[in-house]
Amino acid sequence: MPELPEVTVILDDIRSLAAGKEVFRAEVFREDVSNAGVKEFPRRLVGRTLQGVERRGKILMLDFGDVVGVVHLVISGRVERLSEWREPDKEHTAVIEFESGPESGPVVLAFKKLWLGYFDLYEPGHIEEHPLISRLGPDPFSREFSPEYLRSVFERKAAIKGLLLDQSVVAGLGNIYVDEVLFAAKVHPTRKANTLDSEEIKAVYSASRDILGRAIEMRGTTFDSYHDAFGESGKFQYQLKVFARDGESCYVCGTEIQKLRVAGRGTHVCPTCQPS
DNA sequence: TCCACCCTGGAC
DNA sequence: GTCCAGGGTGGA
């Protein structure tokens, strides 16, 4: 479940492995993996050089000069370095081989399990045509993201959890980190956003930056599917206070962590620390 | 504002 | 064999 921290780590890996390298071979497994389709995908990438990488919310942006790869890993997607080229298949949904360096062998990156995800190609000037990117809210680490901003978007009676998951409100939070942020801010996920006082809004703001920042430092949260491009696990799962801890006791007060459904998502909460 | 749907593997 | 999780979309 790659959210902002995991995507950040993956991008760092891709940058260090492949930035400045030319694409030697590129293929997708199936027509629906990319908006370019099976035939056009290689035609538009081979021979181009990866100029740089960037993150927009949970989306990976790979800058190939005349072409931009827009990759969304959604839930199960991951990126892994392979030791050699292999044809894409159901598991290795998209595979890109970069040229060999003078001292290193070829760099082969597999974009795995893009089952609900995709590896779209856009022309640089047309990225905003992407339906999600055009609607993304501010990045949690941007200046735009502030307590004042949150106050303005919280003037709705929707559940706070649903709003924080909404990428047009904040770009990059997903189910794990929203639960953790709300616990840290001592706000119950079902609270109507417009009932938060300014202290609580500030707490949500600070917790978002703090938790995401620490998760990046620990190279993300690893459950079943996420590993970085070097196959390493993140360490933030050891810092989780509520997520996946239902039935266990709260580290702060000892109350049993509950699991409920909010905004259609499994949601973890300490009923004492986060009164509803 | 809510919810079924998309895809797949894994849990029962 | 059935059911569910997960992010995002599109229709009710």
Side-chain angles (χ1 to χ4, degrees), chain A residues 33 36 47 52 68 81-82 90 92 118 142 151 163 166 171 180 205 235 242 245 270:
Chain A
V33 173
V68 178
R81 182 180 185 179
L82 306 179
K90 195 159 96 174
H92 305 77
Y118 45 83
S142 70
R151 196 186 327 278
L163 280 190
D166 183 342
E180 293 298 312
Y205 163 81
K235 296 284 183 288
V242 284
R245 294 198 65 244
C270 170

Side-chain angles (χ1 to χ4, degrees), chain A residues 66-253:
Chain A
D66 298 337
V67 181
V68 178
V70 176
V71 184
H72 201 325
L73 302 170
V74 192
I75 297 159
S76 50
R78 51 185 285 191
V79 181
E80 193 179 293
R81 182 180 185 179
L82 306 179
S83 55
E84 58 183 11
W85 170 263
R86 65 174 295 157
E87 295 297 318
D89 55 28
K90 195 159 96 174
E91 187 178 349
H92 305 77
T93 12
V95 185
I96 298 188
E97 175 173 350
F98 294 87
E99 60 177 338
S100 310
E103 70 293 320
S104 68
V107 172
V108 181
L109 294 181
F111 294 77
K112 300 177 73 175
K113 303 183 182 180
L114 301 180
W115 290 326
L116 291 176
Y118 45 83
F119 194 139
D120 284 349
L121 300 181
Y122 281 84
E123 290 172 39
H126 294 257
I127 294 164
E128 297 300 325
E129 290 168 13
H130 186 284
L132 176 55
I133 289 178
S134 60
R135 296 178 19 242
L136 281 183
D139 192 274
F141 292 110
S142 70
R143 184 176 301 190
E144 237 186 308
F145 183 76
S146 64
E148 293 69 39
Y149 170 75
L150 285 181
R151 196 186 327 278
S152 71
V153 289
F154 286 175
E155 283 176 356
R156 292 194 254 167
K157 56 182 181 182
I160 180 81
K161 168 142 185 178
L163 280 190
L164 291 176
L165 284 174
D166 183 342
Q167 301 299 294
S168 69
V169 171
V170 192
L173 286 175
N175 204 35
I176 296 177
Y177 293 106
V178 168
D179 281 5
E180 293 298 312
V181 165
L182 289 175
F183 173 79
K186 301 188 188 330
V187 172
H188 196 280
T190 59
R191 285 273 302 280
K192 310 282 186 209
N194 61 4
T195 66
L196 270 67
D197 64 33
S198 53
E199 285 309 304
E200 290 172 322
I201 293 173
K202 244 187 181 160
V204 169
Y205 163 81
S206 311
S208 303
R209 293 203 176 192
D210 174 54
I211 288 173
L212 292 172
R214 286 195 292 123
I216 292 169
E217 279 174 29
M218 312 202 72
R219 296 187 62 82
T221 300
T222 297
F223 281 114
D224 38 346
S225 75
Y226 168 73
H227 294 268
D228 65 27
F230 300 104
E232 298 291 325
S233 297
K235 296 284 183 288
F236 196 73
Q237 61 274 23
Y238 305 118
Q239 307 286 317
L240 297 174
K241 303 286 199 292
V242 284
F243 190 85
R245 294 198 65 244
D246 42 306
E248 299 174 40
S249 52
C250 175
Y251 295 129
V252 174
C253 71

